[in-house]
Amino acid sequence: MSVVDAATGEGFDAHAPLLIVGAGAAGLCAALAAREAGLDPVMIERDAVPSGSTALSAGLIPAAGTRFQRAKGIADSAELFAADIQRKAHGEADPAVVGAVAKGSGPLVEWLADRYGFPFDVVDNFNYPGHSALRMHGLPSRTGRELIDRLRSAAEAEDIVILTGRVAGRLFAESDGRIRGLELLSGDGARERIGCDALVLACNGYGGNPELVRRFIPEMATALYFGHPGNRGDAVVWGEALGAQLKHLAAYQGHGSVATPHNILISWAVIMQGGVQVNAEGRGFCDESRGYSEQAAEVLRQPGGIAWNVFDARIAAVARQFEDFRDAERAGAILTMESVAELAGAMRVPVKALMDELAEVEILKSMRGCDRYGRQFLPEQHFEPPFHAIKVTGALFHTQGGLATDAVGRVKRNDGTLFPNLYAAGGAAAGVSGTTAAGYLSGNGLLTATVLGRLGGNAAARQVAK
Ligand SMILES: Cc1cc2nc3c(=O)[nH]c(=O)nc-3n(C[C@H](O)[C@H](O)[C@H](O)COP(=O)(O)OP(=O)(O)OC[C@H]3O[C@@H](n4cnc5c(N)ncnc54)[C@H](O)[C@@H]3O)c2cc1C
């Protein structure tokens, strides 16, 4: 149990100028930025090898105005990106934070590419809902595992200390909220106390804490949690005890396309390229092109809490750039048939319902029409055999609520003033998705992890150096 204690001001076993809790994308970006600013940060990570939810992601970072975009003739700007974020968030996100992450996104990707040699390119063969420019930057494998491994290697090359196998438990703070240090617990039961001049919370959200999910996001209380189990909401628990402003706690990134029972993420490219979701009755049930996040709850509301992604060989070829999709193929999760009737048989859904549904969709595609839920189809999305189907369910990926911060990650008190030396980034901080799952624009997770991590690490280092 995480608790906040009054600082004794003494009794620490060691001292670090900057402590960072969590070695995911947020923590590692904060550490690299702090190191660059001349500080020796110390990271605390519960796992033996850093992975976090970052490793489970596709590792795609949205960024505007990069040289990777310019090389492909893609016009984009921080202003356009900020407007996209706010449109998806229904204008509920903090404009200062939105502006900072949109503006910092291009420099972030170029920083990782130029200073640390990350071989980014921009995904140019499909777009995610809500982005008005192609701006997802990914590494060759399109995996978060590659992203976290490259971040960890960069930190190691910079001699950044990562204390692995340690859980940050008790937090010591003075009555004005000045953080004095942390108590760490190792697997063998050993405890150590480290004092600090500043603290960055980069320990993500509360997806791995069923009690907090039940409390803040009841609609996902029984859903599969697909993020890192070690993200148990410590930032929120500490923040609540410290009197920090907690914001948008019902917001989350869901995903309506996790292959079941295989538990493999199936890229939303399948839908954006013209694939459709039908339920166990073979019928469409909503406009799935609005976004994968809000689709999690939609799928869970269907009979049996499942849906089928139905698509064709052209779409499969696009999705195959993702290792997860190739894994799903190897695991036998993907049905392939030459006709819709055979596919319906393999899916065990009513043949006539599926044939009628897909026939209607094909007509809509030919005339650029909209279905009964308002989804628009395009002629180039026309299906050709062979046809594919994957049974999927909805899952909770990560929570988007957290500690309210200013534009460089300084944590706010309940009254809106700033804590003297406390920062938050990534899933520990309130995101830019507003109050609901529907407000999540693809990439908001790694965007706020990497950019706010970098900004917070830099700001904390400059504060400590003063
Ligand atoms: C399947 C999946 C796919 C996704 N795909 C994308 C995508 O393509 N693009 C995108 O933008 N976002 C994506 N996301 C979201 C994205 O992964 C997260 O938003 C992002 O990784 C958060 O980074 P973070 O550093 O805040 O947290 P994490 O990467 O989870 O790191 C937090 C770290 O803190 C450690 N920790 C927690 N508590 C403590 C403690 N008390 N003491 C010590 N250590 C602690 C954890 O062990 C963990 O290593 C995806 C998420 C999932 C689950």
Side-chain angles (χ1 to χ4, degrees), residues 76-96:
D76 198 8
S77 69
E79 292 71 30
L80 195 61
F81 186 14
D84 288 347
I85 294 172
Q86 283 292 23
R87 194 177 323 107
K88 191 79 171 80
H90 310 107
E92 293 175 333
D94 182 332

Side-chain angles (χ1 to χ4, degrees), residues 353-408:
L354 186 67
M355 289 183 73
D356 288 352
E357 190 71 41
L358 293 190
E360 186 185 325
V361 166
E362 284 307 295
I363 292 168
L364 292 171
K365 285 177 180 173
S366 67
M367 52 193 269
R368 295 181 174 271
C370 289
D371 68 9
R372 57 197 180 279
Y373 303 107
R375 175 174 178 186
Q376 192 184 12
F377 290 94
L378 301 170
E380 57 270 28
Q381 296 172 338
H382 164 66
F383 277 178
E384 294 276 358
F387 303 103
H388 300 289
I390 309 177
K391 194 202 285 191
V392 296
T393 190
L396 169 63
F397 273 19
H398 76 282
T399 53
Q400 275 282 292
L403 305 176
T405 68
D406 73 359
V408 295

